[in-house]
Amino acid sequence: MALFSGILFVFLLPGALSTPILKVSDAQWHTLNTTVGGRLHAATPFSLPCFSKYNNLTVSVDEASCAAIQANYTSPTFRLQSFSANMNVEFETCMSTQSGCLLDTTNPRSLLATDETSCNQGEIPPYYIDVSTASDIQAAFKFSGATGVPLSIKNTGHDYLGRSRRRDSLGLWTHNLQTMNYDAQFVPEQCDSAPRKAITVGAGVTTQQVYEFADANNAIFIGAYAQTVGVSGGWLMGGGHSVLSPSFGLGVDRVLEIKIVTPDGKLRTANACQNADLFWALRGGGGGTFGVVIESTHLVEDRIPIQVINMTFTPTAANLQEYFEILVNTSAKWGAQGWGGHINRVPAGIIYVNPRLSLSEATASMAQLVAFAQANNGTATIETLSSWLPFFTRFIVQVQAPVGNSMVIGSRLMPQALFQTTEGRSRLVAHLLNQTAEFGMPYIPVSTPISFNYTPGTTSVTPAWRNSLWELSSGFVWPYNSTLPQIRAVLGTVHDFVHEQLTALAPDSGAYINEGEVYESNHEYTYWGTNYARLLEIKKKYDPNELLDCWKCVGWKGAAQFPCYPDLAA
Ligand SMILES: Cc1cc2nc3c(=O)[nH]c(=O)nc-3n(C[C@H](O)[C@H](O)[C@H](O)COP(=O)(O)OP(=O)(O)OC[C@H]3O[C@@H](n4cnc5c(N)ncnc54)[C@H](O)[C@@H]3O)c2cc1C
Ligand SMILES: *[C@@H]1O[C@H](CO)[C@@H](O)[C@H](O)[C@H]1NC(C)=O
Ligand SMILES: *[C@@H]1O[C@H](CO)[C@@H](O)[C@H](O)[C@H]1NC(C)=O
Ligand SMILES: *[C@@H]1O[C@H](CO)[C@@H](O)[C@H](O)[C@H]1NC(C)=O
Ligand SMILES: *[C@@H]1O[C@H](CO)[C@@H](O)[C@H](O)[C@H]1NC(C)=O
Ligand SMILES: *[C@@H]1O[C@H](CO)[C@@H](O)[C@H](O)[C@H]1NC(C)=O
Ligand SMILES: *[C@@H]1O[C@H](CO)[C@@H](O)[C@H](O)[C@H]1NC(C)=O
Ligand SMILES: *[C@@H]1O[C@H](CO)[C@@H](O)[C@H](O)[C@H]1NC(C)=O
Ligand SMILES: *[C@@H]1O[C@H](CO)[C@@H](O)[C@H](O)[C@H]1NC(C)=O
């Protein structure tokens, strides 16, 4: 009893009384804690140390912890260390009830955010297991089945749909699964395929870590455009794009084996030769759906030189159309040549990489764009970097997507066919001009596997990935203290932007689940296309008691289960 008395008050406040977590006695929590070797922890909001009220009750401000949080509020590496932090902070809060605990992102030391304000639990689970073994996960499934307490799985908290949070759930934090192993002769268990160079990582390992580890082994890991995205969690299971994907494929194309505890309680090895249906589902079906991944093994490439172009210019009403025309006219050629990269908002321009061309070929390929930059107060440099890690360190770390604010995105995969007719190109250019006028410069990851030699049927991501050139997107941010109507207005704008403007460009295409729009109308088709029906069968097979559920995931039970997402129609 004494073990939990310090935190129980959280759940005895009015309003929380009907939540399933209350049906659990102290003794049951204690038993769970014992079963998981003392790795059950109570969670409080990330920014609580800065507040003098918690759930309306008086608490003491912790000046030292608060100062560290204020100083590092927008640091992804700092947020990574905390179970309670999300990268997109609205998912720390319960948006619909305006319950949360945020600082002012633009000025984290502002006292306006903390004075007279109660820090509330929001979507942060009251308890979580700091996962260390498969048996921790087995215990969590058993507990959830017995008590009805829902589960949520958090790795790094990057998810743009908020799928790593659920109010009043038992959280499973995979962050501390930190093993890394290089094997020059990896063969998946029970397979007799040729040995390949591969890296196996525990589920908590992030991109920065695996890039350094691969480089130390003379290899390249094909991964995300940020330091702290997880390697084995949502990134992988949702698809996993890289600016090297045009040549080397998506994360799901390169994974060789996954170790996972499925909701039926079994620790399984999934690869092409055993649990092959599950392996297929994990290659695109999305995180948080088929079980809890413990580790994953990925094909790596040899270290190779990479050509890089860094181009910026000053957009004006007079030059934007020419800029978009160059991008649209040339993208099919660039894709075939193996270029990948990002078309950026600020500064306007591109950073593209190419692992296949020589420096002189790269220079010839980019000549028109370089001339454009020079004529428009811009800069353009093309150079050879010795490998991926030096490129990542010098170019990406300074431009990775911001974190620590309330942000959502909307996106659609843009099919190659659109770029191949005069009519399609002019529609796309008109759209880009329109999108820029309404929402600012578009953000476009050019990271589809367009010239990767795909074996059809091996992954469950939407087939739209295979013939698309761009992920056309825009990000939308709102202030920390926005009212519910203000938040709803932004979410509604993003929804309309996607469903009226982007879908008009490519009605039959799809979107990347990890960078999708929160209220996607037809998520089954949009994220998985023709793969959805089989994914649902596999979900039912491995999660027969429906222990895992997340927002717009395969087998999603609907919005009623997730009351923190505002009702846009309200
Ligand atoms: C700054 C930033 C940069 C990004 N850059 C890229 C990029 O370059 N390329 C790209 O493809 N995507 C990118 N993304 C999107 C990214 O792929 C998604 O946010 C993805 O969901 C992150 O997965 P995670 O495991 O790190 O995060 P989390 O938010 O912790 O988890 C995401 C989902 O996976 C589930 N999950 C996590 N771990 C496990 C596990 N061990 N077992 C089962 N389920 C699990 C969670 O329950 C949740 O549903 C970026 C996102 C951000 C915020
Ligand atoms: C679980 O047990 C450990 C070890 O005894 C203890 O430190 C921890 O506080 C317990 N968890 C909770 C939620 O009380
Ligand atoms: C805190 O007080 C406000 C105002 O009285 C109330 O609406 C809210 O429900 C309370 N919050 C909690 C967690 O009890
Ligand atoms: C947080 O910020 C402070 C001040 O900038 C810095 O000294 C400290 O190292 C940071 N802490 C972490 C864990 O990043
Ligand atoms: C792009 O291609 C179109 C033909 O489809 C052509 O009219 C236009 O001049 C080209 N734009 C640029 C900037 O080269
Ligand atoms: C030229 O570019 C610089 C740097 O991007 C910018 O600050 C400046 O305003 C630009 N000048 C003009 C005339 O556009
Ligand atoms: C890319 O170019 C811009 C504009 O010249 C410059 O500010 C930036 O530092 C460059 N990036 C790198 C990594 O050199
Ligand atoms: C952009 O297109 C939408 C319709 O698709 C239209 O309502 C809007 O006015 C256009 N915006 C601009 C700036 O042209
Ligand atoms: C949010 O805070 C800012 C000051 O930081 C203030 O100007 C603004 O009016 C506040 N917005 C709301 C909705 O309270």
Side-chain angles (χ1 to χ4, degrees):
M1 283 295 269
L3 193 61
F4 296 94
S5 56
I7 43 186
L8 250 187
F9 70 88
V10 173
F11 310 108
L12 295 175
L13 295 167
L17 284 168
S18 60
T19 58
I21 211 129
L22 266 191
K23 295 180 196 143
V24 179
S25 68
D26 283 4
Q28 281 170 294
W29 286 115
H30 189 106
T31 303
L32 176 62
N33 197 14
T34 305
T35 310
V36 301
R39 289 183 290 276
L40 181 75
H41 300 282
T44 54
F46 175 60
S47 297
L48 175 61
C50 296
F51 287 77
S52 56
K53 276 193 224 160
Y54 176 38
N55 291 331
N56 291 347
L57 302 179
T58 299
V59 291
S60 343
V61 171
D62 175 346
E63 300 286 355
S65 304
C66 176
I69 291 164
Q70 289 170 327
N72 304 288
Y73 199 69
T74 58
S75 159
T77 49
F78 186 78
R79 285 186 169 268
L80 188 66
Q81 311 303 318
S82 163
F83 169 75
S84 299
N86 276 57
M87 298 297 169
N88 302 295
V89 300
E90 72 272 27
F91 298 116
E92 291 173 18
T93 77
C94 182
M95 285 189 273
S96 63
T97 61
Q98 300 256 275
S99 156
C101 187
L102 299 180
L103 302 184
D104 182 347
T105 307
T106 61
N107 177 16
R109 288 185 185 79
S110 168
L111 297 176
L112 290 175
T114 50
D115 276 5
E116 305 300 316
T117 306
S118 175
C119 166
N120 296 323
Q121 191 76 9
E123 279 226 78
I124 306 304
Y127 296 112
Y128 69 97
I129 298 171
D130 183 359
V131 173
S132 151
T133 64
S135 65
D136 292 347
I137 301 164
Q138 288 160 335
F141 281 129
K142 216 171 149 189
F143 178 85
S144 177
T147 61
V149 172
L151 299 173
S152 59
I153 308 163
K154 190 218 176 195
N155 184 20
T156 67
H158 279 73
D159 199 70
Y160 283 114
L161 302 181
R163 291 171 299 160
S164 33
R165 291 299 180 203
R166 186 162 180 182
R167 192 178 69 181
D168 292 335
S169 62
L170 169 62
L172 297 175
W173 194 29
T174 57
H175 170 74
N176 287 315
L177 295 170
Q178 284 291 335
T179 51
M180 287 196 270
N181 183 52
Y182 173 73
D183 185 347
Q185 304 266 312
F186 181 82
V187 178
E189 272 175 35
Q190 291 183 20
C191 290
D192 57 8
S193 45
R196 304 174 87 177
K197 289 184 186 163
I199 287 178
T200 299
V201 292
V205 169
T206 60
T207 40
Q208 168 96 49
Q209 293 175 291
V210 77
Y211 292 160
E212 288 172 4
F213 182 75
D215 194 75
N217 285 289
N218 277 315
I220 296 180
F221 181 91
I222 309 302
Y225 207 68
Q227 293 172 278
T228 47
V229 172
V231 171
S232 309
W235 175 81
L236 173 64
M237 287 179 270
H241 68 72
S242 166
V243 295
L244 292 176
S245 293
S247 296
F248 295 121
L250 299 170
V252 288
D253 294 324
R254 306 181 56 80
V255 67
L256 299 173
E257 184 164 281
I258 293 175
K259 295 224 164 83
I260 182 170
V261 178
T262 45
D264 55 10
K266 296 205 168 68
L267 169 60
R268 297 174 189 271
T269 298
N271 61 38
C273 310
Q274 55 178 311
N275 295 308
D277 56 350
L278 179 62
F279 189 52
W280 176 83
L282 295 172
R283 297 172 86 178
T289 305
F290 302 97
V292 182
V293 170
I294 294 205
E295 64 172 47
S296 59
T297 303
H298 307 253
L299 185 62
V300 293
E301 300 298 315
D302 289 333
R303 264 173 132 263
I304 33 163
I306 291 173
Q307 313 303 335
V308 182
I309 175 168
N310 176 20
M311 175 271 178
T312 65
F313 74 108
T314 305
T316 65
N319 67 20
L320 257 190
Q321 171 147 356
E322 186 186 353
Y323 173 61
F324 289 139
E325 280 187 12
I326 294 172
L327 297 181
V328 169
N329 287 1
T330 324
S331 278
K333 177 187 92 178
W334 284 336
Q337 289 177 331
W339 287 104
H342 285 205
I343 299 172
N344 299 321
R345 294 171 83 116
V346 186
I350 71 167
I351 295 174
Y352 273 29
V353 293
N354 196 309
R356 302 214 305 253
L357 300 181
S358 67
L359 182 60
S360 62
E361 288 165 339
T363 305
S365 173
M366 287 291 167
Q368 190 186 9
L369 189 69
V370 171
F372 170 84
Q374 285 159 356
N376 288 281
N377 185 30
T379 61
T381 47
I382 303 180
E383 61 190 300
T384 308
L385 287 237
S386 60
S387 188
W388 170 257
L389 183 62
F391 164 73
F392 179 80
T393 307
R394 214 181 103 199
F395 284 86
I396 301 186
V397 172
Q398 61 167 291
V399 300
Q400 60 190 335
V403 306
N405 48 23
S406 297
M407 175 169 170
V408 293
I409 50 189
S411 71
R412 272 290 181 284
L413 295 164
M414 290 294 130
Q416 168 143 273
L418 194 64
F419 297 77
Q420 287 170 326
T421 65
T422 315
E423 189 268 335
R425 285 195 293 271
S426 63
R427 277 207 296 140
L428 190 48
V429 169
H431 166 83
L432 293 168
L433 290 167
N434 181 319
Q435 183 178 329
T436 304
E438 278 197 273
F439 304 119
M441 294 292 278
Y443 186 65
I444 311 176
V446 181
S447 48
T448 62
I450 193 69
S451 54
F452 171 75
N453 188 8
Y454 175 63
T455 307
T458 50
T459 69
S460 49
V461 293
T462 168
W465 272 109
R466 304 294 164 187
N467 54 24
S468 291
L469 281 169
W470 288 0
E471 188 197 18
L472 179 51
S473 79
S474 188
F476 297 78
V477 171
W478 61 88
Y480 82 104
N481 60 346
S482 301
T483 62
L484 182 55
Q486 287 168 336
I487 295 172
R488 266 208 217 102
V490 179
L491 295 172
T493 299
V494 189
H495 182 76
D496 293 347
F497 160 68
V498 169
H499 289 82
E500 288 165 15
Q501 303 187 28
L502 294 187
T503 49
L505 283 169
D508 303 326
S509 187
Y512 179 27
I513 181 171
N514 287 341
E515 292 171 348
E517 189 265 309
V518 178
Y519 293 86
E520 176 60 51
S521 300
N522 186 8
H523 67 279
E524 296 93 339
Y525 179 81
T526 301
Y527 298 144
W528 298 288
T530 47
N531 293 323
Y532 188 76
R534 186 166 167 227
L535 282 168
L536 189 58
E537 279 173 30
I538 296 170
K539 164 77 174 169
K540 287 180 178 154
K541 174 174 168 188
Y542 290 96
D543 186 8
N545 298 318
E546 305 184 338
L547 292 182
L548 290 177
D549 190 17
C550 51
W551 183 259
K552 307 247 169 185
C553 293
V554 169
W556 183 48
K557 288 186 229 164
Q561 307 292 320
F562 296 88
C564 288
Y565 291 79
D567 180 356
L568 285 197

